[in-house]
Amino acid sequence: MGDRLQELSVFVRAAESGSFSRAGRELGLSQPSVSRLIGELEARLGVKLLLRTTRRITVTDAGELFLDRAREILAEIEDAENAARGVDSLRGTLRLALPVIYGMREIIPRLPKFLAAHPMLRVEMAVTDARQDLIAEGADVAIRLGELTDSAFGARKLDTLERMLVASPAYLKARGTPKTPADLASHDCIFGPGNYGRDSWSFTDEGTQISVDVRGQIHTDSGPGAFASVLAGLGIAMASTVMCGAEVEAGLLVPVLRRYKLQPVEVHAVFPGGRRPSAKVRALVDYLASEIKRRN
């Protein structure tokens, strides 16, 4: 039975990542060992589960059916083990994907308390503003800011972030302070992850929608890049109050156009759909939801 569980684990990660070598690295096996285990599994079942090419692995129709059941089996085994140990004895590795600034300011500072309650649990973090393929990268849960576009994932809302426009005192001294959204046309605007690739910003003023075309020299898909740019006086940026509150309070950044409201940003915990989240994912998401609700 132990060999069969190893086969299932290897098959699931090879299918999800599309790579024998990546599956091997994650599971501590050599690539030949991964290939052998998959071959033995296919031979026993009498069906082809994976098609190998020099560039990628693809899952057959039979493999897709088997993949769904294999995921369920592995999740049930993990849940059974955790139930036997008790909720305070979660163990194993929890792979977490975080956006940079929100992750550093809102999630990582809350992890010590969670990990102190679960000392046998290890967290692996991918901290990046690029939206990763959760399944291919093997992430158990990701924190996502903004609109969710992929219905193949499960999600739980954690937070709603108010947004505002900010600029450095040096920028406003040199360029003046905009009084209305229309004034932004004569300013340099910084395009960060939340508005990367867009050429207009939208506001609400007493129920009236206002959309203005904006321009700027700085376009970045990096939160820290956008944040460093506004602090350096390169323009006006859109940021959440949580992410720039400390800098505003310290006088390093100045809110502008506060009368005009920007659409808030929702924060979700996102996990691969099609299967029940594991006990460690549920525990972390429940904890974060409770902690963030307390802050609000």
Side-chain angles (χ1 to χ4, degrees):
M1 181 61 75
D3 289 343
R4 290 194 176 187
L5 291 178
Q6 185 182 41
E7 287 176 352
L8 290 183
S9 298
V10 169
F11 165 71
V12 167
R13 281 310 299 138
E16 291 179 338
S17 66
S19 167
F20 280 7
S21 57
R22 177 181 288 179
R25 286 194 303 271
E26 293 181 6
L27 298 172
L29 298 170
S30 66
Q31 183 173 338
S33 295
V34 171
S35 182
R36 175 182 57 80
L37 287 165
I38 297 295
E40 290 174 353
L41 175 61
E42 291 176 327
R44 191 175 70 254
L45 296 176
V47 295
K48 201 71 172 174
L49 302 174
L50 302 175
L51 298 177
R52 295 84 153 170
T53 68
T54 55
R55 293 189 175 183
R56 185 166 176 82
I57 293 168
T58 57
V59 185
T60 66
D61 290 344
E64 289 286 0
L65 294 173
F66 190 71
L67 179 60
D68 288 340
R69 295 301 303 274
R71 285 169 172 161
E72 292 174 5
I73 290 167
L74 293 173
E76 289 295 333
I77 290 172
E78 182 179 14
D79 277 357
E81 290 176 345
N82 285 322
R85 297 185 187 109
V87 71
D88 295 333
S89 299
L90 296 177
R91 64 183 63 198
T93 300
L94 178 62
R95 296 178 177 87
L96 176 61
L98 301 174
V100 181
I101 295 179
Y102 188 84
M104 292 173 64
R105 296 198 171 190
E106 291 294 304
I107 302 300
I108 294 175
R110 291 183 163 89
L111 291 181
K113 181 179 175 182
F114 178 75
L115 292 177
H118 306 289
M120 300 300 293
L121 190 63
R122 183 179 72 176
V123 173
E124 292 182 358
M125 288 186 289
V127 184
T128 174
D129 288 318
R131 291 209 169 189
Q132 297 175 302
D133 183 332
L134 294 189
I135 294 175
E137 296 299 327
D140 297 303
V141 60
I143 304 301
R144 294 279 198 249
L145 275 63
E147 184 179 357
L148 299 179
T149 58
D150 196 331
S151 60
F153 296 103
R156 177 175 174 182
K157 182 179 172 182
L158 297 178
D159 204 357
T160 299
L161 305 179
E162 180 187 353
R163 292 192 296 176
M164 60 183 174
L165 299 185
V166 291
S168 71
Y171 175 87
L172 296 176
K173 182 178 180 180
R175 300 288 297 274
T177 300
K179 303 300 182 184
T180 70
D183 294 340
L184 293 173
S186 61
H187 282 269
D188 286 319
C189 295
I190 295 169
F191 296 83
N195 46 51
Y196 185 75
R198 300 180 184 178
D199 58 6
S200 67
W201 288 351
S202 296
F203 303 83
T204 302
D205 179 29
E206 297 180 349
T208 301
Q209 291 289 121
I210 303 170
S211 182
V212 296
D213 292 335
V214 293
R215 61 177 180 81
Q217 293 178 289
I218 303 297
H219 295 247
T220 175
D221 62 358
S222 161
F227 209 62
S229 296
V230 69
L231 286 169
L234 291 171
I236 298 173
M238 189 182 297
S240 73
T241 52
V242 166
M243 294 165 70
C244 67
E247 286 73 16
V248 169
E249 187 174 344
L252 299 174
L253 293 175
V254 178
V256 297
L257 298 177
R258 287 294 278 159
R259 165 184 166 180
Y260 301 91
K261 302 301 180 183
L262 294 161
Q263 183 177 358
V265 175
E266 292 189 344
V267 182
H268 291 87
V270 179
F271 36 85
R275 62 183 188 266
R276 184 168 177 253
S278 66
K280 56 194 175 187
V281 168
R282 298 197 304 273
L284 176 63
V285 173
D286 286 347
Y287 167 77
L288 291 175
S290 175
E291 290 291 303
I292 291 170
K293 182 178 181 181
R294 186 175 295 115
R295 182 256 287 163
N296 292 336

